Amino acid sequence: MTHKIKAIEPKENLILHATFFDGTIKKYNIREMFSFYPLAQALNDINLFRQVQVDAGGYGVSWNADLDLDAETIWEDGITIGKENVDPVYELAAKLSEARENKGITQKQLAEKTGIYQGDISRIERGLANPSLSTLKRLANGMDMKLNISFMAR
């Protein structure tokens, strides 16, 4: 499963706080990279370290063309420090992406099965679109899945 980063925040002592689309917040110490990725030692420069940004699609973070870190490393090696309430748009984004990846199909393949543009599927999976119920049904059918919508007490 691919875990995607929604937001990244540099903290003191070369610590990153990564918020994932599912609301999980992980703490990651950049120093852990130094042994297997010597270029990462450039991040000792605090000004460079603070320039961290989430990559397009949330698959990782980067500082410049030479320095990056994938979301899976932060997920697997980071320490969970909290969970925030997730906007339903982002929860939908994470669930759709997870379901599609679990089925082993690409966005392009799902687009071909559903007639929904791949770019639109990408926007939904990044939390940048508000799909109609009809679109969600088509996506579920394209993955041979059932759409389930629920309301829960706060």
Side-chain angles (χ1 to χ4, degrees):
M1 183 171 108
T2 301
H3 298 94
K4 296 180 185 176
I5 297 173
K6 179 173 74 169
I8 194 74
E9 187 177 355
K11 297 292 191 176
E12 299 287 322
N13 300 316
L14 299 182
I15 302 292
L16 293 176
H17 284 187
T19 304
F20 289 80
F21 271 71
D22 73 350
T24 301
I25 303 168
K26 295 254 185 181
K27 176 173 84 170
Y28 183 83
N29 187 337
I30 289 300
R31 288 182 183 90
E32 292 184 24
M33 294 174 54
F34 291 176
S35 63
F36 64 89
Y37 189 35
L39 285 176
Q41 292 187 22
L43 295 172
N44 278 312
D45 175 350
I46 197 69
N47 291 323
L48 177 60
F49 175 70
R50 288 185 180 142
Q51 292 178 27
V52 66
Q53 295 183 357
V54 177
D55 293 337
Y59 293 101
V61 298
S62 59
W63 291 267
N64 58 34
D66 298 321
L67 290 170
D68 59 13
L69 178 61
D70 67 272
E72 287 304 310
T73 299
I74 297 172
W75 181 267
E76 291 171 10
D77 298 339
I79 298 167
T80 301
I81 59 171
K83 183 113 173 160
E84 67 178 21
N85 288 332
V86 180
D87 182 306
V89 171
Y90 290 114
E91 186 174 5
L92 172 64
K95 296 285 186 186
L96 174 59
S97 178
E98 178 182 348
R100 182 183 54 74
E101 290 171 2
N102 286 342
K103 284 291 186 175
I105 60 175
T106 66
Q107 288 179 353
K108 182 178 179 182
Q109 291 168 323
L110 184 56
E112 290 168 356
K113 287 183 166 193
T114 62
I116 298 169
Y117 291 116
Q118 183 272 327
D120 290 338
I121 294 171
S122 173
R123 280 186 283 287
I124 296 168
E125 288 190 5
R126 289 181 289 141
L128 301 176
N130 189 9
S132 68
L133 186 54
S134 172
T135 297
L136 294 175
K137 287 179 186 177
R138 286 170 58 196
L139 290 167
N141 287 338
M143 295 183 289
D144 296 320
M145 298 178 113
K146 177 182 160 190
L147 178 63
N148 180 21
I149 298 173
S150 64
F151 294 90
M152 300 182 315
R154 293 181 195 212

